[in-house]
Amino acid sequence: MEMIGIKVIGYICLKFKLLYIAFALCVIAMTACRPEGSQAAVDMALRAAGDNRGELEAVLNHYAGDPDKLAAAEFLIANMPGHYSHADAALMERYHQQADSFITANPRISIFDLCDSIDAIAEDMGVTVTPLVSDCRIMTAEYLIDNIDCAFEQWRGNPWL
């Protein structure tokens, strides 16, 4: 009888722990989705942009009269910290062209050999050692505006989207 009581108490404790975890996750989810949080993330990204801050602010100013596109721009900018690009864009373009050419020339290659070959191309070109730069430090206003406009054009212009 005593063993049953311990099991019941353990079961009740487990239920309360699970309920507490579920409650905590709900609170986190609700606070993470607050608009004030997204503005704080945009502000943080603008501070992290350094000399490139003007480019990001130009995007926000460009969409000041369009709430949907402004929200998209804010989302992209807020999520830039922690995302990086290779500093040498020309090298990366050459690498992608060489990798595409290899894949086109070898359509029946196994996935394992393909991965090994692509890795070898990257190593030969020095792609694996190129420095990274934060996206918020290099994205131009023109690039972001072009991509946001293109995405909205596709979304609004195609009924199946």
Side-chain angles (χ1 to χ4, degrees):
M1 187 76 156
E2 188 175 327
M3 195 62 130
I4 294 174
I6 293 172
K7 286 184 179 181
V8 169
I9 291 172
Y11 180 76
I12 292 171
C13 288
L14 177 64
K15 284 288 197 181
F16 278 114
K17 286 179 184 177
L18 291 175
L19 183 62
Y20 176 76
I21 291 171
F23 177 76
L25 289 175
C26 287
V27 169
I28 290 169
M30 288 188 301
T31 57
C33 296
R34 290 173 41 192
E36 301 87 37
S38 64
Q39 186 56 48
V42 170
D43 292 340
M44 185 179 78
L46 291 174
R47 284 191 303 275
D51 294 339
N52 198 45
R53 182 183 181 123
E55 291 287 321
L56 302 182
E57 287 176 336
V59 176
L60 298 173
N61 292 334
H62 180 79
Y63 291 124
D66 188 335
D68 290 337
K69 289 184 180 181
L70 178 61
E74 288 174 344
F75 174 83
L76 291 173
I77 292 169
N79 287 284
M80 282 183 187
H83 294 91
Y84 300 88
S85 300
H86 288 272
D88 189 347
L91 173 66
M92 292 309 298
E93 182 63 29
R94 289 193 308 276
Y95 164 70
H96 289 132
Q97 288 174 354
Q98 208 167 4
D100 287 345
S101 296
F102 179 82
I103 293 167
T104 303
N106 300 285
R108 297 200 191 311
I109 192 169
S110 76
I111 190 68
F112 300 109
D113 291 337
L114 176 63
C115 289
D116 290 343
S117 299
I118 297 296
D119 288 345
I121 291 170
E123 191 172 324
D124 289 346
M125 295 182 74
V127 169
T128 56
V129 294
T130 59
L132 299 176
V133 62
S134 176
D135 284 350
C136 59
R137 292 186 172 266
I138 62 167
M139 289 289 173
T140 64
E142 179 184 10
Y143 179 82
L144 287 170
I145 290 168
D146 287 347
N147 279 276
I148 291 169
D149 287 346
C150 182
F152 272 81
E153 182 180 312
Q154 291 295 316
W155 176 49
R156 290 178 176 156
N158 295 302
W160 59 88
L161 296 177

Coordinates of all heavy atoms in Angstrom, one line a residue, residues 52-140:
N52 N 27.2 50.5 -41.5 CA 26.1 50.1 -42.4 C 24.7 50.5 -41.9 O 23.7 50.2 -42.6 CB 26.2 48.6 -42.8 CG 25.5 48.3 -44.0 OD1 25.6 49.0 -45.1 ND2 24.7 47.2 -44.0
R53 N 24.6 51.1 -40.8 CA 23.3 51.4 -40.2 C 22.5 52.3 -41.1 O 21.3 52.1 -41.3 CB 23.5 52.2 -38.9 CG 22.3 52.5 -38.2 CD 22.5 53.3 -36.9 NE 21.2 53.6 -36.3 CZ 20.9 53.3 -35.0 NH1 21.8 52.7 -34.3 NH2 19.7 53.6 -34.5
G54 N 23.1 53.2 -41.8 CA 22.3 54.1 -42.8 C 21.6 53.3 -43.9 O 20.5 53.7 -44.3
E55 N 22.3 52.2 -44.3 CA 21.6 51.4 -45.4 C 20.4 50.7 -44.8 O 19.3 50.7 -45.5 CB 22.6 50.3 -45.8 CG 23.8 50.8 -46.6 CD 23.4 51.3 -48.0 OE1 22.6 50.6 -48.7 OE2 24.0 52.3 -48.5
L56 N 20.4 50.2 -43.6 CA 19.3 49.5 -43.0 C 18.2 50.6 -42.7 O 17.0 50.3 -42.9 CB 19.7 48.8 -41.8 CG 20.8 47.7 -42.0 CD1 21.0 46.9 -40.7 CD2 20.4 46.7 -43.1
E57 N 18.6 51.7 -42.2 CA 17.6 52.8 -41.9 C 16.9 53.3 -43.2 O 15.7 53.6 -43.2 CB 18.2 53.9 -41.2 CG 18.6 53.6 -39.7 CD 19.3 54.7 -39.0 OE1 20.0 55.5 -39.6 OE2 19.2 54.7 -37.8
A58 N 17.7 53.3 -44.3 CA 17.1 53.7 -45.6 C 16.0 52.8 -46.0 O 15.0 53.2 -46.6 CB 18.2 53.8 -46.6
V59 N 16.2 51.5 -45.7 CA 15.1 50.5 -46.1 C 13.9 50.8 -45.2 O 12.7 50.8 -45.8 CB 15.6 49.0 -45.8 CG1 14.5 48.0 -46.1 CG2 16.8 48.7 -46.7
L60 N 14.0 51.0 -44.0 CA 12.9 51.3 -43.1 C 12.2 52.6 -43.5 O 11.0 52.6 -43.5 CB 13.4 51.3 -41.6 CG 14.0 50.1 -41.1 CD1 14.6 50.3 -39.7 CD2 13.0 48.9 -41.0
N61 N 12.9 53.6 -43.8 CA 12.4 54.8 -44.3 C 11.6 54.7 -45.6 O 10.6 55.3 -45.9 CB 13.4 55.9 -44.4 CG 14.0 56.3 -43.1 OD1 13.3 56.2 -42.1 ND2 15.2 56.8 -43.1
H62 N 12.2 53.8 -46.5 CA 11.6 53.6 -47.8 C 10.2 53.0 -47.7 O 9.3 53.3 -48.5 CB 12.5 52.7 -48.6 CG 12.0 52.3 -50.0 ND1 12.1 53.2 -51.1 CD2 11.3 51.3 -50.5 CE1 11.6 52.7 -52.1 NE2 11.1 51.5 -51.8
Y63 N 10.0 52.1 -46.7 CA 8.7 51.5 -46.5 C 7.9 52.1 -45.4 O 6.9 51.5 -45.0 CB 8.9 50.0 -46.2 CG 9.5 49.2 -47.4 CD1 10.7 48.5 -47.3 CD2 8.8 49.2 -48.6 CE1 11.2 47.8 -48.4 CE2 9.3 48.6 -49.7 CZ 10.5 47.9 -49.6 OH 11.0 47.2 -50.7
A64 N 8.2 53.3 -45.0 CA 7.4 53.9 -43.9 C 5.9 54.0 -44.2 O 5.1 53.9 -43.3 CB 8.0 55.3 -43.6
G65 N 5.5 54.2 -45.5 CA 4.1 54.3 -45.9 C 3.4 53.0 -46.2 O 2.3 53.0 -46.6
D66 N 4.1 51.9 -46.2 CA 3.6 50.6 -46.5 C 3.8 49.6 -45.4 O 4.8 49.0 -45.2 CB 4.3 50.0 -47.8 CG 3.6 48.8 -48.3 OD1 3.0 48.0 -47.6 OD2 3.8 48.5 -49.5
P67 N 2.7 49.4 -44.5 CA 2.9 48.6 -43.3 C 3.3 47.2 -43.5 O 4.1 46.6 -42.7 CB 1.5 48.7 -42.7 CG 0.7 49.7 -43.4 CD 1.4 50.0 -44.7
D68 N 2.8 46.6 -44.6 CA 3.2 45.2 -44.9 C 4.7 45.0 -45.2 O 5.4 44.2 -44.7 CB 2.4 44.6 -46.0 CG 0.9 44.4 -45.6 OD1 0.6 44.2 -44.4 OD2 0.0 44.3 -46.5
K69 N 5.1 45.9 -46.1 CA 6.5 45.8 -46.5 C 7.5 46.3 -45.4 O 8.6 45.8 -45.2 CB 6.8 46.6 -47.8 CG 6.2 46.0 -49.0 CD 6.5 46.7 -50.3 CE 5.9 46.1 -51.5 NZ 6.2 46.8 -52.7
L70 N 7.0 47.3 -44.6 CA 7.7 47.7 -43.4 C 7.9 46.6 -42.4 O 9.0 46.3 -41.9 CB 7.1 48.9 -42.8 CG 7.8 49.4 -41.5 CD1 9.2 49.9 -41.9 CD2 7.0 50.6 -40.9
A71 N 6.9 45.8 -42.2 CA 6.9 44.6 -41.3 C 7.9 43.6 -41.8 O 8.7 43.0 -41.1 CB 5.6 44.0 -41.1
A72 N 7.9 43.4 -43.2 CA 8.9 42.5 -43.8 C 10.3 43.0 -43.6 O 11.2 42.2 -43.2 CB 8.6 42.3 -45.2
A73 N 10.5 44.2 -43.8 CA 11.9 44.8 -43.7 C 12.3 44.7 -42.2 O 13.5 44.4 -41.9 CB 11.9 46.3 -44.1
E74 N 11.4 45.0 -41.3 CA 11.8 44.9 -39.9 C 12.1 43.5 -39.5 O 13.1 43.3 -38.7 CB 10.6 45.5 -39.0 CG 10.5 47.0 -39.0 CD 9.3 47.5 -38.3 OE1 8.4 46.7 -38.0 OE2 9.2 48.7 -38.0
F75 N 11.4 42.5 -40.0 CA 11.6 41.1 -39.7 C 13.0 40.7 -40.2 O 13.8 40.1 -39.5 CB 10.6 40.2 -40.4 CG 10.9 38.8 -40.3 CD1 10.5 38.1 -39.1 CD2 11.5 38.1 -41.3 CE1 10.8 36.7 -39.0 CE2 11.8 36.7 -41.2 CZ 11.4 36.1 -40.0
L76 N 13.3 41.1 -41.5 CA 14.6 40.8 -42.0 C 15.8 41.4 -41.2 O 16.8 40.8 -40.9 CB 14.7 41.2 -43.5 CG 13.8 40.4 -44.5 CD1 13.8 41.0 -45.8 CD2 14.2 38.9 -44.5
I77 N 15.6 42.7 -40.9 CA 16.7 43.4 -40.2 C 16.8 42.8 -38.8 O 18.0 42.6 -38.3 CB 16.4 44.9 -40.2 CG1 16.6 45.5 -41.7 CG2 17.3 45.6 -39.3 CD1 16.1 46.9 -41.9
A78 N 15.7 42.6 -38.1 CA 15.8 42.1 -36.8 C 16.5 40.7 -36.7 O 17.1 40.4 -35.7 CB 14.4 42.0 -36.2
N79 N 16.4 39.9 -37.8 CA 17.0 38.6 -37.8 C 18.4 38.5 -38.4 O 18.9 37.4 -38.6 CB 16.0 37.6 -38.5 CG 14.8 37.3 -37.6 OD1 15.0 36.6 -36.6 ND2 13.7 38.0 -37.8
M80 N 18.9 39.7 -38.8 CA 20.3 39.6 -39.4 C 21.4 39.3 -38.4 O 22.3 38.6 -38.7 CB 20.6 41.0 -40.0 CG 19.9 41.1 -41.4 SD 20.4 42.7 -42.1 CE 19.4 42.7 -43.5
P81 N 21.4 39.8 -37.1 CA 22.4 39.4 -36.2 C 22.5 37.9 -36.1 O 21.5 37.2 -35.9 CB 22.1 40.1 -34.9 CG 21.2 41.3 -35.3 CD 20.4 40.8 -36.5
G82 N 23.7 37.4 -36.1 CA 23.9 36.0 -36.0 C 24.0 35.3 -37.4 O 24.2 34.1 -37.4
H83 N 23.7 36.0 -38.4 CA 23.8 35.5 -39.8 C 24.9 36.1 -40.5 O 25.1 37.4 -40.4 CB 22.5 35.6 -40.5 CG 21.4 34.8 -39.9 ND1 20.6 35.3 -38.9 CD2 21.0 33.6 -40.1 CE1 19.7 34.4 -38.6 NE2 19.9 33.3 -39.2
Y84 N 25.7 35.4 -41.3 CA 26.9 35.9 -41.9 C 27.0 35.5 -43.3 O 26.4 34.6 -43.8 CB 28.1 35.3 -41.1 CG 28.2 35.6 -39.7 CD1 27.5 34.9 -38.7 CD2 28.8 36.8 -39.2 CE1 27.5 35.2 -37.4 CE2 28.8 37.2 -37.9 CZ 28.1 36.4 -37.0 OH 28.1 36.8 -35.7
S85 N 27.9 36.2 -44.0 CA 28.2 35.9 -45.4 C 29.7 35.9 -45.5 O 30.5 36.5 -44.7 CB 27.7 37.1 -46.3 OG 26.3 37.1 -46.2
H86 N 30.2 35.3 -46.6 CA 31.7 35.3 -46.8 C 32.0 36.7 -47.3 O 31.3 37.4 -48.1 CB 32.0 34.3 -47.9 CG 32.0 32.9 -47.4 ND1 33.0 32.3 -46.8 CD2 31.0 32.0 -47.5 CE1 32.7 31.1 -46.5 NE2 31.4 30.9 -46.9
A87 N 33.1 37.2 -46.7 CA 33.6 38.6 -47.0 C 34.0 38.8 -48.5 O 33.8 39.8 -49.1 CB 34.8 39.0 -46.2
D88 N 34.5 37.7 -49.1 CA 34.9 37.8 -50.5 C 33.8 37.2 -51.4 O 33.8 36.1 -51.8 CB 36.2 37.0 -50.7 CG 36.9 37.2 -52.0 OD1 36.2 37.7 -52.9 OD2 38.1 36.7 -52.2
A89 N 32.9 38.1 -51.8 CA 31.8 37.7 -52.6 C 32.2 37.2 -54.0 O 31.6 36.3 -54.6 CB 30.8 38.9 -52.8
A90 N 33.3 37.8 -54.6 CA 33.7 37.3 -55.9 C 34.3 35.9 -55.8 O 34.0 35.1 -56.7 CB 34.8 38.3 -56.4
L91 N 35.0 35.6 -54.8 CA 35.5 34.2 -54.6 C 34.3 33.2 -54.5 O 34.3 32.2 -55.1 CB 36.4 34.1 -53.4 CG 36.8 32.7 -53.0 CD1 37.7 32.1 -54.1 CD2 37.5 32.7 -51.6
M92 N 33.3 33.6 -53.7 CA 32.2 32.7 -53.5 C 31.4 32.5 -54.9 O 30.9 31.4 -55.1 CB 31.2 33.3 -52.5 CG 31.8 33.2 -51.1 SD 32.5 31.6 -50.6 CE 31.0 30.6 -50.7
E93 N 31.3 33.6 -55.7 CA 30.7 33.5 -57.0 C 31.4 32.5 -57.9 O 30.8 31.6 -58.5 CB 30.6 34.8 -57.6 CG 29.8 34.8 -59.0 CD 28.4 34.4 -58.9 OE1 27.8 34.6 -57.8 OE2 27.9 33.8 -59.9
R94 N 32.8 32.6 -57.9 CA 33.6 31.7 -58.7 C 33.4 30.2 -58.1 O 33.3 29.3 -58.9 CB 35.0 32.1 -58.6 CG 35.3 33.3 -59.4 CD 36.8 33.5 -59.7 NE 37.6 33.5 -58.5 CZ 37.8 34.6 -57.6 NH1 37.3 35.7 -57.9 NH2 38.6 34.4 -56.6
Y95 N 33.4 30.1 -56.8 CA 33.2 28.7 -56.2 C 31.9 28.1 -56.6 O 31.8 27.0 -57.0 CB 33.3 28.8 -54.7 CG 32.7 27.6 -54.0 CD1 33.4 26.4 -54.0 CD2 31.5 27.7 -53.3 CE1 32.9 25.3 -53.4 CE2 31.0 26.6 -52.6 CZ 31.7 25.4 -52.7 OH 31.2 24.3 -52.0
H96 N 30.8 28.9 -56.6 CA 29.5 28.4 -56.9 C 29.4 28.1 -58.4 O 28.8 27.0 -58.8 CB 28.4 29.5 -56.6 CG 28.1 29.6 -55.2 ND1 28.1 30.8 -54.5 CD2 27.9 28.7 -54.2 CE1 27.9 30.6 -53.2 NE2 27.8 29.3 -53.0
Q97 N 30.1 28.8 -59.3 CA 30.1 28.5 -60.7 C 30.9 27.2 -60.9 O 30.4 26.4 -61.7 CB 30.7 29.7 -61.5 CG 29.9 30.9 -61.6 CD 30.6 32.1 -62.2 OE1 31.7 32.0 -62.5 NE2 29.8 33.1 -62.5
Q98 N 32.0 27.0 -60.3 CA 32.8 25.8 -60.4 C 32.0 24.6 -59.9 O 32.0 23.6 -60.5 CB 34.1 26.0 -59.7 CG 35.2 25.2 -60.3 CD 36.6 25.6 -59.8 OE1 36.7 26.4 -58.9 NE2 37.6 25.0 -60.4
A99 N 31.4 24.8 -58.8 CA 30.6 23.7 -58.2 C 29.4 23.3 -59.1 O 29.1 22.1 -59.4 CB 30.1 24.0 -56.8
D100 N 28.7 24.3 -59.7 CA 27.6 24.1 -60.6 C 28.1 23.4 -61.9 O 27.5 22.4 -62.4 CB 26.9 25.4 -61.0 CG 26.1 25.9 -59.9 OD1 25.8 25.2 -58.9 OD2 25.7 27.1 -59.9
S101 N 29.3 23.8 -62.4 CA 29.8 23.2 -63.6 C 30.2 21.7 -63.3 O 29.9 20.8 -64.1 CB 31.1 23.9 -64.0 OG 30.8 25.2 -64.4
F102 N 30.7 21.4 -62.1 CA 31.1 20.0 -61.8 C 29.8 19.2 -61.7 O 29.8 18.1 -62.2 CB 31.8 20.0 -60.4 CG 32.2 18.6 -60.0 CD1 33.3 18.0 -60.6 CD2 31.3 17.9 -59.2 CE1 33.6 16.7 -60.2 CE2 31.6 16.6 -58.8 CZ 32.8 16.0 -59.3
I103 N 28.8 19.7 -61.1 CA 27.5 18.9 -60.9 C 26.9 18.7 -62.3 O 26.4 17.6 -62.6 CB 26.5 19.7 -60.0 CG1 27.1 19.7 -58.6 CG2 25.2 19.1 -60.0 CD1 26.4 20.6 -57.6
T104 N 26.9 19.7 -63.1 CA 26.3 19.6 -64.5 C 27.1 18.5 -65.3 O 26.5 17.7 -66.0 CB 26.3 20.9 -65.2 OG1 25.6 21.9 -64.4 CG2 25.7 20.8 -66.6
A105 N 28.4 18.5 -65.2 CA 29.3 17.6 -65.9 C 29.2 16.2 -65.4 O 29.6 15.2 -66.1 CB 30.7 18.1 -65.9
N106 N 28.8 16.0 -64.2 CA 28.7 14.7 -63.5 C 27.3 14.4 -62.9 O 27.2 14.2 -61.7 CB 29.8 14.6 -62.4 CG 31.2 14.8 -62.9 OD1 31.7 13.9 -63.6 ND2 31.7 16.0 -62.7
P107 N 26.3 14.2 -63.8 CA 24.9 14.1 -63.3 C 24.7 12.8 -62.6 O 23.8 12.7 -61.8 CB 24.1 14.2 -64.6 CG 25.0 13.8 -65.7 CD 26.3 14.2 -65.3
R108 N 25.5 11.7 -62.8 CA 25.2 10.4 -62.3 C 26.1 10.1 -61.1 O 26.2 9.0 -60.7 CB 25.3 9.4 -63.3 CG 24.3 9.5 -64.4 CD 24.1 8.2 -65.2 NE 23.3 8.2 -66.4 CZ 22.2 8.8 -66.6 NH1 21.6 9.5 -65.8 NH2 21.6 8.6 -67.8
I109 N 26.8 11.1 -60.6 CA 27.8 10.8 -59.5 C 27.0 10.6 -58.2 O 25.9 11.1 -58.0 CB 28.7 12.1 -59.3 CG1 29.9 11.7 -58.4 CG2 28.0 13.3 -58.8 CD1 31.0 12.8 -58.4
S110 N 27.6 9.7 -57.3 CA 26.9 9.4 -56.1 C 27.0 10.6 -55.2 O 27.9 11.4 -55.3 CB 27.6 8.2 -55.4 OG 28.8 8.5 -54.8
I111 N 26.0 10.6 -54.2 CA 26.0 11.8 -53.3 C 27.2 11.9 -52.5 O 27.7 13.0 -52.2 CB 24.7 11.7 -52.4 CG1 24.5 13.0 -51.7 CG2 24.7 10.6 -51.5 CD1 24.1 14.2 -52.5
F112 N 27.8 10.8 -52.1 CA 29.0 10.8 -51.3 C 30.2 11.3 -52.1 O 31.0 12.1 -51.6 CB 29.3 9.4 -50.8 CG 28.2 8.8 -49.9 CD1 27.5 7.8 -50.4 CD2 28.0 9.4 -48.7 CE1 26.4 7.3 -49.6 CE2 26.9 8.9 -47.9 CZ 26.2 7.8 -48.4
D113 N 30.3 10.9 -53.4 CA 31.4 11.4 -54.2 C 31.2 12.9 -54.5 O 32.2 13.6 -54.6 CB 31.5 10.6 -55.5 CG 32.0 9.2 -55.3 OD1 32.7 8.9 -54.2 OD2 31.7 8.3 -56.1
L114 N 29.9 13.2 -54.7 CA 29.6 14.6 -55.0 C 30.1 15.5 -53.8 O 30.7 16.5 -54.0 CB 28.1 14.8 -55.2 CG 27.6 16.2 -55.5 CD1 28.3 16.8 -56.7 CD2 26.1 16.3 -55.5
C115 N 29.7 15.1 -52.6 CA 30.1 15.9 -51.4 C 31.6 16.0 -51.3 O 32.1 17.1 -51.0 CB 29.5 15.2 -50.1 SG 27.7 15.4 -50.0
D116 N 32.3 14.9 -51.5 CA 33.8 14.9 -51.5 C 34.3 15.8 -52.5 O 35.3 16.6 -52.2 CB 34.3 13.5 -51.7 CG 34.1 12.6 -50.5 OD1 33.7 13.1 -49.4 OD2 34.2 11.3 -50.6
S117 N 33.8 15.8 -53.7 CA 34.3 16.7 -54.8 C 34.0 18.1 -54.5 O 34.9 19.0 -54.8 CB 33.6 16.2 -56.1 OG 34.0 14.9 -56.4
I118 N 32.8 18.4 -54.0 CA 32.5 19.8 -53.7 C 33.4 20.3 -52.6 O 33.9 21.5 -52.6 CB 31.0 20.0 -53.3 CG1 30.1 19.6 -54.5 CG2 30.7 21.4 -52.8 CD1 30.2 20.5 -55.7
D119 N 33.6 19.5 -51.6 CA 34.6 19.9 -50.5 C 36.0 20.1 -51.0 O 36.7 21.0 -50.6 CB 34.6 18.8 -49.4 CG 33.3 18.7 -48.6 OD1 32.5 19.7 -48.7 OD2 33.1 17.7 -47.9
A120 N 36.4 19.3 -52.0 CA 37.7 19.4 -52.6 C 37.8 20.8 -53.4 O 38.9 21.5 -53.3 CB 38.1 18.3 -53.5
I121 N 36.8 21.1 -54.1 CA 36.8 22.4 -54.8 C 36.9 23.5 -53.8 O 37.7 24.5 -54.0 CB 35.5 22.5 -55.7 CG1 35.5 21.5 -56.8 CG2 35.3 23.9 -56.2 CD1 34.2 21.4 -57.6
A122 N 36.1 23.5 -52.8 CA 36.1 24.5 -51.7 C 37.5 24.7 -51.1 O 38.0 25.8 -51.0 CB 35.1 24.3 -50.7
E123 N 38.1 23.5 -50.8 CA 39.5 23.5 -50.2 C 40.5 24.1 -51.2 O 41.4 24.9 -50.8 CB 39.9 22.1 -49.7 CG 41.1 22.1 -48.9 CD 41.3 20.8 -48.3 OE1 40.4 20.1 -47.9 OE2 42.5 20.4 -48.1
D124 N 40.5 23.7 -52.4 CA 41.4 24.1 -53.5 C 41.3 25.7 -53.7 O 42.3 26.3 -53.9 CB 41.2 23.4 -54.8 CG 41.6 22.0 -54.8 OD1 42.3 21.6 -53.8 OD2 41.2 21.2 -55.7
M125 N 40.1 26.2 -53.6 CA 39.9 27.6 -53.8 C 40.1 28.4 -52.5 O 40.1 29.7 -52.6 CB 38.5 27.9 -54.4 CG 38.2 27.2 -55.7 SD 36.6 27.6 -56.4 CE 36.8 29.3 -56.8
G126 N 40.2 27.8 -51.4 CA 40.4 28.5 -50.2 C 39.1 29.1 -49.6 O 39.1 30.0 -48.7
V127 N 38.0 28.5 -50.0 CA 36.7 29.0 -49.5 C 36.5 28.7 -48.0 O 35.9 29.4 -47.3 CB 35.5 28.3 -50.3 CG1 34.2 28.6 -49.7 CG2 35.6 28.8 -51.8
T128 N 37.1 27.6 -47.6 CA 37.0 27.2 -46.2 C 37.6 28.1 -45.2 O 37.4 28.1 -44.0 CB 37.5 25.8 -46.0 OG1 38.9 25.7 -46.4 CG2 36.7 24.8 -46.8
V129 N 38.5 29.0 -45.7 CA 39.2 29.9 -44.8 C 38.9 31.4 -45.0 O 39.6 32.3 -44.4 CB 40.8 29.7 -44.9 CG1 41.1 28.3 -44.4 CG2 41.3 29.9 -46.3
T130 N 37.9 31.7 -45.8 CA 37.6 33.1 -46.0 C 36.9 33.7 -44.8 O 36.1 33.0 -44.2 CB 36.7 33.3 -47.3 OG1 35.5 32.5 -47.1 CG2 37.4 32.8 -48.5
P131 N 37.2 34.9 -44.5 CA 36.5 35.5 -43.3 C 35.1 35.7 -43.6 O 34.6 35.9 -44.7 CB 37.3 36.8 -43.2 CG 37.9 37.1 -44.5 CD 38.1 35.8 -45.1
L132 N 34.3 35.7 -42.5 CA 32.9 36.0 -42.5 C 32.6 37.4 -42.0 O 33.4 37.9 -41.2 CB 32.1 34.9 -41.6 CG 32.3 33.5 -42.0 CD1 31.6 32.6 -41.0 CD2 31.7 33.2 -43.4
V133 N 31.5 37.9 -42.5 CA 31.1 39.3 -42.1 C 29.6 39.2 -41.8 O 28.9 38.5 -42.5 CB 31.5 40.3 -43.1 CG1 30.7 40.1 -44.4 CG2 31.2 41.7 -42.6
S134 N 29.2 39.9 -40.7 CA 27.8 39.9 -40.3 C 26.9 40.5 -41.4 O 27.3 41.6 -42.0 CB 27.6 40.7 -39.0 OG 26.3 40.8 -38.7
D135 N 25.8 39.9 -41.7 CA 24.9 40.4 -42.7 C 24.5 41.8 -42.5 O 24.4 42.6 -43.4 CB 23.7 39.5 -42.9 CG 23.9 38.2 -43.6 OD1 25.0 38.1 -44.1 OD2 23.1 37.3 -43.5
C136 N 24.3 42.2 -41.2 CA 23.8 43.6 -40.9 C 24.9 44.6 -41.2 O 24.6 45.8 -41.4 CB 23.3 43.7 -39.5 SG 24.4 43.3 -38.2
R137 N 26.1 44.2 -41.4 CA 27.2 45.1 -41.8 C 27.4 45.2 -43.3 O 28.2 46.1 -43.7 CB 28.5 44.6 -41.1 CG 28.4 44.8 -39.6 CD 29.8 44.5 -39.0 NE 29.8 44.8 -37.6 CZ 30.2 46.0 -37.1 NH1 30.7 46.9 -37.9 NH2 30.2 46.2 -35.8
I138 N 26.8 44.4 -44.1 CA 27.1 44.4 -45.5 C 25.9 44.6 -46.4 O 26.0 44.9 -47.6 CB 27.9 43.2 -46.0 CG1 27.2 41.9 -45.8 CG2 29.3 43.2 -45.3 CD1 27.8 40.7 -46.5
M139 N 24.7 44.3 -45.9 CA 23.5 44.4 -46.8 C 23.2 45.8 -47.2 O 23.2 46.7 -46.3 CB 22.3 43.8 -46.0 CG 22.3 42.3 -45.8 SD 22.0 41.5 -47.4 CE 22.3 39.8 -46.9
T140 N 23.0 46.0 -48.5 CA 22.7 47.3 -48.9 C 21.2 47.6 -49.0 O 20.4 46.6 -49.1 CB 23.3 47.5 -50.4 OG1 22.6 46.7 -51.3 CG2 24.8 47.3 -50.4

